[in-house]
């Protein structure tokens, strides 16, 4: 997830927080959908996982 695609310097703090919340909700919904298609359950996403590359995890 690239932060520059969801927030910018022209946004207020409230707008930035709302955009981050929406991005997190979308990521969780996608994880839930992917898990459901495999017949499993998705654990809640750790926000830190969305801030680093897969190689760093």
């Amino acid at each position: 997830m690239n932060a520059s695609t969801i927030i910018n310097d022209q946004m207020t703090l409230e707008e930035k927080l709302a955009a981050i919340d929406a991005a997190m909700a979308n990521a969780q919904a996608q994880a839930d959908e992917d898990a459901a298609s495999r017949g499993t359950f998705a654990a809640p996403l750790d926000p830190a996982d969305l801030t680093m590359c897969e190689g760093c995890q």
Side-chain angles (χ1 to χ4, degrees):
M1 180 179 305
N2 185 348
S4 64
T5 62
I6 60 170
I7 61 173
N8 63 52
D9 291 337
Q10 312 309 323
M11 299 170 87
T12 66
L13 176 60
E14 290 79 18
E15 291 171 330
K16 289 177 182 179
L17 293 173
I20 292 168
D21 285 342
M24 289 294 297
N26 288 337
Q28 184 65 55
Q30 183 63 46
D32 291 341
E33 183 179 310
D34 293 344
S37 70
R38 293 188 306 270
T40 61
F41 295 96
L45 293 176
D46 180 359
D49 287 343
L50 300 175
T51 63
M52 65 179 104
C53 67
E54 290 181 13
C56 296
Q57 292 177 357

